[in-house]
C-alpha cells in the first residue's frame, strides 16, 4: 500500500513515520508528502528522506477549499496513493476530499477525543485542569476531530506541567502510537463496525 502524509508544521510525527518505515515497522510505502505551508519543516524532512513526491501546495492559488482539495486528490491519484495520513495538517478537509478517501484518512490529535477538539488541545486541557489527557489516532469523517477512534493512550498531567513539558510527553506517545496505527491499517487489521474500530 502507498500512503501520503499531509503536514503543516514541524513534522516530528512525519519523522517518526519515516523512521518506522525504514525499520520495517510500518509495512507501507510513503509515496508523497504535501504541505499547505511552503516553509513547513516537514517538507525538509521529506526531501532528506527522499520521499518520491514532496510538494508545497499554497491554498492562495485556489478559489476555495474544494478547488484546493480537488488538486490534492489529483496529485494523490498521480502518485497512486491508497490512504492518507494527517500529521499536524491544520486545514479542514472538504466533503469532496473525505468522500474521495472514505475511511482511508487517519489523523492524530493531542488529546483524548471527544475531549478538547480543535487546534489548541494541549493548552486547552491544561487550562481546564484535567488530570489526564492523551493522544488519539482516528479515522477522519466530515466532522472535525470526530471520526472512529483507532488507538488512544492516556498521558497524566503533572502539577508543575507547562504547555511545553506536557507537549513533550504527548509527542513521545504520538511518535509511538501513530506508526503502530498506520501499520495496523496498512495490514488490513482495522474493521469498522459503525463508529467502533475493531482491531485484529
Ligand atoms: C501534533 O501534536 C498533532 O497531534 C497536532 O499537531 C502536532 C503536529 O506536530 N495536531 C492537531 O492538533 C490536530 N488538531 P508535528 O508537526 O511535529 O508532527
Amino acid at each position: 500500500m502507498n500512503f501520503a502524509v499531509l503536514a503543516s508544521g514541524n513534522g516530528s510525527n512525519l519523522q517518526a513515520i519515516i523512521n518506522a518505515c525504514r525499520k520495517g515497522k510500518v509495512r507501507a510505502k510513503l509515496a508523497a508528502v504535501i504541505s499547505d505551508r511552503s516553509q513547513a519543516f516537514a517538507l525538509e524532512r521529506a526531501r532528506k528522506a527522499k520521499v518520491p513526491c514532496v510538494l508545497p501546495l499554497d491554498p492562495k492559488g485556489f478559489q476555495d477549499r474544494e478547488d484546493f482539495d480537488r488538486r490534492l486528490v489529483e496529485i494523490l491519484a498521480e502518485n497512486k496513493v491508497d490512504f492518507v495520513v494527517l500529521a499536524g495538517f491544520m486545514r479542514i478537509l472538504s466533503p469532496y476530499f473525505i468522500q474521495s478517501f472514505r475511511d482511508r484518512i487517519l489523523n492524530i490529535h493531542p488529546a483524548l477525543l471527544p475531549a478538547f477538539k480543535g487546534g489548541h488541545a494541549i493548552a486547552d486541557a491544561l487550562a481546564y485542569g484535567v488530570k489526564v489527557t492523551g493522544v488519539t489516532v482516528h479515522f477522519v469523517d466530515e466532522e472535525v476531530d470526530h471520526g472512529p477512534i483507532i488507538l488512544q493512550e492516556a498521558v497524566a498531567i503533572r502539577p508543575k506541567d507547562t504547555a511545553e513539558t506536557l507537549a513533550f510527553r504527548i509527542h513521545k506517545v504520538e511518535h509511538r502510537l501513530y506508526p503502530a496505527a498506520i501499520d495496523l491499517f496498512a495490514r488490513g487489521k482495522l474493521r469498522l463496525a459503525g463508529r467502533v474500530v475493531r482491531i485484529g
Side-chain angles (χ1 to χ4, degrees), residues 105-196:
I105 310 167
L106 278 62
N107 183 42
I108 192 156
H109 185 75
L112 293 177
L113 290 174
F116 306 114
K117 297 177 176 182
H120 312 99
I122 296 174
D124 291 349
L126 260 184
Y128 197 92
V130 291
K131 306 298 185 198
V132 177
T133 184
V135 173
T136 303
V137 180
H138 64 97
F139 284 111
V140 172
D141 65 9
E142 279 83 354
E143 281 178 60
V144 175
D145 297 330
H146 171 269
I149 291 167
I150 301 168
L151 294 177
Q152 272 186 320
E153 193 170 308
V155 174
I157 294 182
R158 298 172 183 160
K160 287 190 177 158
D161 261 334
T162 62
E164 288 71 32
T165 59
L166 179 57
F168 179 79
R169 294 203 308 289
I170 285 186
H171 287 146
K172 269 176 75 171
V173 172
E174 288 188 335
H175 299 162
R176 180 163 42 74
L177 219 59
Y178 216 2
I182 295 165
D183 187 58
L184 285 169
F185 180 80
R187 289 192 297 125
K189 299 287 184 196
L190 304 179
R191 277 171 298 117
L192 276 165
R195 63 158 295 125
V196 174

Side-chain angles (χ1 to χ4, degrees), residues 50-153:
K50 305 217 175 345
V51 173
C53 169
V54 181
L55 211 67
L57 193 62
D58 187 349
K60 283 200 204 98
F62 297 86
Q63 273 179 354
D64 54 25
R65 192 176 295 284
E66 185 170 318
D67 201 26
F68 176 89
D69 284 2
R70 282 188 185 276
R71 180 69 193 121
L72 206 50
V73 168
E74 265 174 27
I75 296 166
L76 298 176
E78 282 160 17
N79 287 279
K80 302 197 167 18
V81 164
D82 299 298
F83 69 99
V84 176
V85 169
L86 309 182
F89 189 60
M90 294 311 194
R91 266 181 80 78
I92 293 172
L93 293 162
S94 64
Y96 171 79
F97 189 93
I98 312 275
Q99 277 156 29
S100 304
F101 282 91
R102 171 74 61 203
D103 300 333
R104 291 183 293 141
I105 310 167
L106 278 62
N107 183 42
I108 192 156
H109 185 75
L112 293 177
L113 290 174
F116 306 114
K117 297 177 176 182
H120 312 99
I122 296 174
D124 291 349
L126 260 184
Y128 197 92
V130 291
K131 306 298 185 198
V132 177
T133 184
V135 173
T136 303
V137 180
H138 64 97
F139 284 111
V140 172
D141 65 9
E142 279 83 354
E143 281 178 60
V144 175
D145 297 330
H146 171 269
I149 291 167
I150 301 168
L151 294 177
Q152 272 186 320
E153 193 170 308

